[in-house]
Amino acid sequence: RKEVEQDPGPFNVPEGATVAFNCTYSNSASQSFFWYRQDCRKEPKLLMSVYSSGNEDGRFTAQLNRASQYISLLIRDSKLSDSATYLCVVSDYGQNFVFGPGTRLSVLP
Amino acid sequence: DTEVTQTPKHLVMGMTNKKSLKCEQHMGHRAMYWYKQKAKKPPELMFVYSYEKLSINESVPSRFSPECPNSSLLNLHLHALQPEDSALYLCASSQDPRGWGDSYEQYFGPGTRLTVT
């Protein structure tokens, strides 16, 4: 079983749609969780950290369920510029970082 | 300013060459990382430097040799590489490996696209 798994994708959604990404991790000792986005041939960019209480940043909402070892990212009112690969990242105490395989999103006009 | 710079942007080298990749950050971050990313795959962690000391080496072949001359700089020395080592090499930094939460947020440089011929 892979350490971090994500929806295989790709997701093709119309502008304005709500889209949800799911991620599961196998290491119960994991402490820190992040969502990154990566555009084609560019570096990953931090979207948000994920906290147990859940957190929201504009149209983006992240949730963490430690008991189920599950992380989610919700994008509301999707824009063309949201098209990218979304990467779930899990870390122990800030040393070892494991990336999920990523889910590609295409927002269509 | 969350900026990590990397040079060169592109590098083509033969299997007998020796070259170095450079990474720099001026955010006062105390952890720096090297990742390798192949096409259509996620980044894979290679090395972690914490307070200028190597803390993680993910079983990387010795033809890759990292160096952290000071808290702002990270180098990756390359020697006798193979064609399968062709990839995007990403450098990242985070605030404080001894902290928690936000201090682990990593910021990536634009990467060096390496081709080994």
Side-chain angles (χ1 to χ4, degrees), chain A residues 32 34 36 38 41-44 46 48-49 51 87 89 91-97 99-102, chain B residues 33 35 37 42-43 45 48 50 55-56 58 88 90 94 97 101-102 104-110 113:
Chain A
S32 300
F34 310 91
Y36 281 76
Q38 187 170 25
R41 299 183 70 81
K42 297 282 192 183
E43 74 273 23
L46 178 68
M48 58 203 310
S49 299
Y51 304 115
L87 297 157
V89 183
S91 176
D92 54 15
Y93 293 95
Q95 293 286 303
N96 191 19
F97 287 80
F99 280 69
Chain B
Y33 311 81
Y35 286 86
Q37 186 174 24
L45 187 63
V48 180
S50 174
S55 59
I56 290 183
E58 290 286 1
L88 179 67
L90 292 159
S94 64
D102 292 0
Y104 299 157
E105 291 175 349
Q106 291 187 315
Y107 296 91
F108 283 82
R113 199 161 293 279

Side-chain angles (χ1 to χ4, degrees), chain A residues 47-48 55-62 73-79 82:
Chain A
L47 196 57
M48 58 203 310
N55 46 307
E56 186 173 313
D57 182 3
R59 298 181 292 109
F60 299 84
T61 301
L73 176 70
L74 188 75
I75 305 177
R76 290 181 297 278
D77 188 24
S78 52
K79 313 288 185 194
D82 293 333

Side-chain angles (χ1 to χ4, degrees), chain B:
Chain B
D1 181 21
T2 54
E3 188 177 88
V4 177
T5 59
Q6 290 187 244
T7 54
K9 285 192 167 61
H10 300 274
L11 178 62
V12 180
M13 61 186 289
M15 289 189 284
T16 58
N17 292 157
K18 284 185 182 180
K19 297 284 184 185
S20 296
L21 309 185
K22 296 186 184 304
C23 173
E24 192 165 4
Q25 57 88 13
H26 293 289
M27 297 178 280
H29 287 180
R30 303 312 301 269
M32 296 186 77
Y33 311 81
W34 280 115
Y35 286 86
K36 174 182 177 180
Q37 186 174 24
K38 301 281 276 185
K40 298 190 188 305
K41 297 289 187 183
E44 292 181 10
L45 187 63
M46 299 174 72
F47 301 105
V48 180
Y49 273 84
S50 174
Y51 287 82
E52 293 118 67
K53 288 187 169 37
L54 183 64
S55 59
I56 290 183
N57 175 342
E58 290 286 1
S59 303
V60 179
S62 59
R63 57 186 184 268
F64 296 91
S65 174
E67 179 197 18
C68 189
N70 59 55
S71 60
S72 301
L73 291 173
L74 187 66
N75 298 322
L76 186 62
H77 302 297
L78 314 173
H79 173 54
L81 294 195
Q82 304 297 310
E84 60 264 29
D85 296 322
S86 299
L88 179 67
Y89 288 84
L90 292 159
C91 173
S93 69
S94 64
Q95 187 179 359
D96 186 355
R98 297 178 189 167
W100 63 282
D102 292 0
S103 63
Y104 299 157
E105 291 175 349
Q106 291 187 315
Y107 296 91
F108 283 82
T112 293
R113 199 161 293 279
L114 174 68
T115 303
V116 181
T117 60

